[in-house]
Amino acid sequence: MKSLRLSVAGFGVVGQGFIELLYNKQDYLRQMYDIDARLVGVGNARHGFIYREDGLDVPTVLELGASKRPLTDYERTRHWDTILEGLQETGANVLVEATSTNLRDAEPALSHIVTALRLGAHVVTANKGPGALAGLELLALARQQGVQLRMESSVMAGTPVISTILEGMAGARIQAVRGILNGTTNYILTAMAGGREYAEVLAEAQELGYAETDPTADVEGYDALAKTLILAGLVFNQPLKQEQVALKGITGVTLDDVRKAASAGKRIKLIASLRRNGDELEASVSPQALALDDPLARIDGATNALAIQADTLSEVTISGPGAGAISTAQGLLADVLACAR
Ligand SMILES: NC(=O)c1ccc[n+]([C@@H]2O[C@H](COP(=O)([O-])OP(=O)(O)OC[C@H]3O[C@@H](n4cnc5c(N)ncnc54)[C@H](OP(=O)(O)O)[C@@H]3O)[C@@H](O)[C@H]2O)c1
């Protein structure tokens, strides 16, 4: 039996979802993969980092999260005021990074990841900041340290696009990818195609928890932009900066635009696109009117999708959930198992 000791940075929707999934799957992981995965550390912004060398009791940890009590209420654990200090002084085999995304400087995730890699731990992350701002540098550091850095759930959550492209389609030269990478905006555009006004649908999406109180990151396209930057580095090996991606969100899309597109037999979707043009990589995030025979035109609601064009496979399209606690945790779990392999 292979034993894995995991620390989780970030104890919000995804961090707690991952810990719950790991716990619910423990027997299955033993049976199917011969892996005994144990949670040894967990931390957040408010309470810092707690750690137990022989493993934390998961129901106790989850109960603290559910009852919104501080992690420090868990007795007989070692404690540091910040996750970073805790990571520097403890040694898990795998760091699961699930703190909030920050597209300005990727912190604190960037420091968490660099620290763990330098200590010789594998890292799996759902966070978009590090992959978008420093993906290739971090992968180079991981290689140098002889460990893995994986970020499946940073793009389309647990729906496997990065591993499908890098592993399933290994050897294929990717010419272009086009995707619906943000569920909130697709939910809004789908409802508008049904005749509803933007403002009304946005308010509904906020009530349902699909959209944040401040929806800027989604509706202005920044979330899709971050995922586009991650794919530029990982899939095309060409790091791009935010300014190199032509960006337009959906706030300017009117019901009239959607109706006109429909009468021309088209659907408006927020499309993230990366395409090789000679040595250049052209990148954009913008609303586009797609003909109904386009595989992305009929991707509705909060679903995400990516269409991949390669030299050896004309077009492969993957669609599935792009958010949610367990869907995202699934991507982290798959990455943890890949590290164990
Ligand atoms: N939710 C999804 O469906 C989804 C899907 C794909 C990817 N992701 C990515 O996964 C990550 C986690 O998302 P989430 O939905 O779980 O967010 P969340 O519920 O807001 O949780 C974020 C966690 O990060 C911690 N945190 C924030 N800033 C920190 C700092 N400076 N130092 C230490 N800890 C800090 C927070 O601490 P406190 O609890 O103390 O505030 C919280 O525990 C994000 O990067 C997100 O982009 C999320």
Side-chain angles (χ1 to χ4, degrees):
M1 180 87 55
K2 193 177 280 180
S3 162
L4 277 186
R5 302 166 69 257
L6 310 178
S7 280
V8 177
F11 190 55
V13 173
V14 173
Q16 291 181 43
F18 174 77
I19 291 170
E20 184 188 332
L21 185 65
L22 191 70
Y23 184 69
N24 291 339
K25 293 266 179 187
Q26 61 185 353
D27 291 341
Y28 187 69
L29 298 187
R30 285 199 189 102
Q31 282 163 24
M32 288 294 288
Y33 302 97
D34 211 26
I35 284 174
D36 174 41
R38 189 173 299 185
L39 179 73
V40 290
V42 60
N44 63 10
R46 286 164 299 151
H47 318 124
F49 188 73
I50 61 167
Y51 180 85
R52 252 181 94 132
E53 188 77 26
D54 59 352
L56 293 162
D57 178 59
V58 170
T60 304
V61 172
L62 290 175
E63 174 53 29
L64 291 174
S67 57
K68 303 204 183 322
R69 280 161 56 210
L71 286 169
T72 43
D73 275 7
Y74 193 141
E75 289 170 5
R76 289 188 291 281
T77 57
R78 294 174 71 194
H79 173 253
W80 292 265
D81 286 341
T82 65
I83 295 174
L84 187 60
E85 290 167 283
L87 295 178
Q88 281 162 343
E89 293 186 32
T90 55
N93 310 114
V94 184
L95 168 66
V96 178
E97 221 300 335
T99 60
S100 310
T101 286
N102 158 4
L103 292 176
R104 288 178 307 281
D105 60 9
E107 293 294 358
L110 187 60
S111 297
H112 295 162
I113 292 174
V114 168
T115 300
L117 293 175
R118 288 205 176 123
L119 287 168
H122 302 291
V123 176
V124 307
T125 185
N127 196 311
K128 286 154 263 184
L133 269 53
L136 289 181
E137 289 96 320
L138 291 170
L139 284 170
L141 175 61
R143 256 194 310 279
Q144 193 185 318
Q145 294 294 115
V147 291
Q148 290 201 51
L149 166 64
R150 303 182 67 96
M151 45 187 94
E152 183 65 78
S153 46
S154 65
V155 180
M156 284 174 61
T159 303
V161 289
I162 294 176
S163 58
T164 298
I165 296 173
L166 297 184
E167 291 153 30
M169 295 172 70
R173 180 175 160 89
I174 308 300
Q175 311 285 17
V177 298
R178 290 182 312 129
I180 293 172
L181 301 182
N182 180 269
T184 305
T185 44
N186 204 50
Y187 179 86
I188 294 172
L189 291 172
T190 303
M192 287 174 78
R196 298 175 59 199
E197 288 286 354
Y198 173 83
E200 176 199 336
V201 186
L202 174 60
E204 179 188 88
Q206 285 169 322
E207 241 165 67
L208 289 170
Y210 288 147
E212 303 284 335
T213 320
D214 176 2
T216 313
D218 291 325
V219 297
E220 297 291 359
Y222 293 107
D223 175 71
L225 167 73
K227 293 162 181 169
T228 306
L229 296 176
I230 295 172
L231 294 175
L234 266 60
V235 173
F236 294 90
N237 202 30
Q238 292 203 29
L240 293 181
K241 299 213 178 315
Q242 299 192 17
E243 317 75 82
Q244 292 173 282
V245 181
L247 174 67
K248 194 172 173 194
I250 65 160
T251 48
V253 177
T254 63
L255 196 50
D256 195 39
D257 296 332
V258 172
R259 285 197 176 122
K260 277 189 187 132
S263 57
K266 293 183 171 179
R267 286 286 193 91
I268 295 182
K269 297 287 178 188
L270 183 67
I271 299 296
S273 163
L274 287 160
R275 179 175 300 280
R276 287 188 202 273
N277 182 4
D279 291 340
E280 299 274 295
L281 184 61
E282 293 172 349
S284 64
V285 172
S286 62
Q288 291 177 21
L290 306 181
L292 283 181
D293 61 357
D294 187 308
L296 300 179
R298 291 175 192 267
I299 303 294
D300 285 337
T303 302
N304 286 15
L306 191 74
I308 307 145
Q309 286 172 18
D311 55 353
T312 47
L313 293 161
S314 52
E315 187 163 77
V316 173
T317 304
I318 303 169
S319 70
I326 297 302
S327 306
T328 309
Q330 165 56 38
L332 292 167
L333 180 66
D335 277 349
V336 167
L337 294 173
C339 292
R341 274 201 299 279

